[in-house]
Amino acid sequence: MSAYQRVGDLLDPASTVLLTVECQRGVVGPDAALPELARAARSSGALGNVARLVAAAHRGGVQVIHAVAERRPDGRGASRNARLFRAAERLPVRQLSGSTAVRIAPPVEVAEEDLVVRRLHGLSPLGATGMDALLRNLGCRTLVVTGVSANVAIPNTVFDAVNLGYTAVVPADAIAGVPAAYTAAVIRHTLSLVATITTTEEMLGLLAPPRRGRPQ
């Protein structure tokens, strides 16, 4: 898969942030609200690849941010202006603040230095959540976007990142949506127009380059 810009030229650890989107138990865990999406994230290897990228970022000193979608038990502040939001209110698993559903799902690990940004509204973790200010304070220029779903949150995140002036990088095998063919189509026909598309394997060596042995 070709990219419009070489990934290696974009990834300076000091100005790169790895973002995981909605990789929470209530979305991609075994008892998720949307079982089909959870199965896709796991069976495709996307969730495992997110975990590998997060681990590499930890080793390489690259900042990690986990974006979590949740709602208050009383629903205050939640969006209701789209069919998706209204359907979510009727799901058997709800993403309630403080519940197990909004914890980051294994095998993704959260380190002490990671940031967790929670939102109660909207479709994107960059939409009026304060994340833009965090990214700027971190000196971010390149945002690596991973997680779910390729149907809604991932495209919204990439578009918002580009509109805010960040360079977006998307490891194609570290995002998932339903059906799988739709994910591939979104990557090819939409995300590739605005983001640099890469793979987990390519990213691993860039996030945490192998250390050279001691000179003999």
Side-chain angles (χ1 to χ4, degrees):
M1 183 177 297
S2 62
Y4 83 91
Q5 194 169 356
R6 282 166 41 92
V7 180
D9 296 336
L10 300 174
L11 293 190
D12 176 359
S15 60
T16 297
V17 170
L18 174 66
L19 176 65
T20 76
V21 178
E22 297 181 29
C23 292
Q24 56 204 73
R25 292 172 182 260
V27 175
V28 295
D31 299 316
L34 300 170
E36 186 179 3
L37 176 59
R39 285 193 297 271
R42 292 177 174 275
S43 64
S44 68
L47 186 61
N49 285 334
V50 173
R52 295 169 68 203
L53 290 169
V54 168
H58 290 159
R59 294 193 304 271
V62 173
Q63 180 67 54
V64 177
I65 298 181
H66 304 279
V68 174
E70 59 182 47
R71 61 183 289 118
R72 288 168 50 112
D74 60 12
R76 289 181 183 270
S79 300
R80 294 184 175 84
N81 57 337
R83 177 183 174 189
L84 175 66
F85 302 130
R86 296 191 295 272
E89 294 179 353
R90 300 191 295 270
L91 292 173
V93 178
R94 302 174 69 198
Q95 315 300 316
L96 298 181
S97 301
S99 69
T100 301
V102 297
R103 296 178 185 173
I104 301 302
V108 181
E109 295 187 355
V110 181
E112 185 176 354
E113 63 269 21
D114 293 0
L115 297 173
V116 179
V117 175
R118 303 179 184 278
R119 78 178 194 274
L120 295 172
H121 61 84
L123 300 170
S124 164
L126 278 165
T129 60
M131 186 183 293
D132 180 36
L134 289 177
L135 292 172
R136 295 187 190 283
N137 289 344
L138 291 166
C140 177
R141 297 183 63 83
T142 299
L143 187 64
V144 181
V145 180
T146 67
V148 297
S149 73
N151 303 74
V152 178
I154 295 299
N156 269 267
T157 303
V158 171
F159 293 153
D160 283 351
V162 173
N163 285 332
L164 289 167
Y166 301 103
T167 297
V169 173
V170 178
D173 54 355
I175 67 171
V178 289
Y182 181 77
T183 301
V186 167
I187 292 169
R188 179 178 180 183
H189 299 293
T190 301
L191 297 183
S192 65
L193 302 178
V194 293
T196 294
I197 307 300
T198 183
T199 65
T200 295
E201 289 301 325
E202 183 175 17
M203 287 291 298
L204 290 175
L206 296 171
L207 290 171
R211 297 178 179 179
R212 297 178 180 178
R214 290 184 177 182
Q216 299 296 320

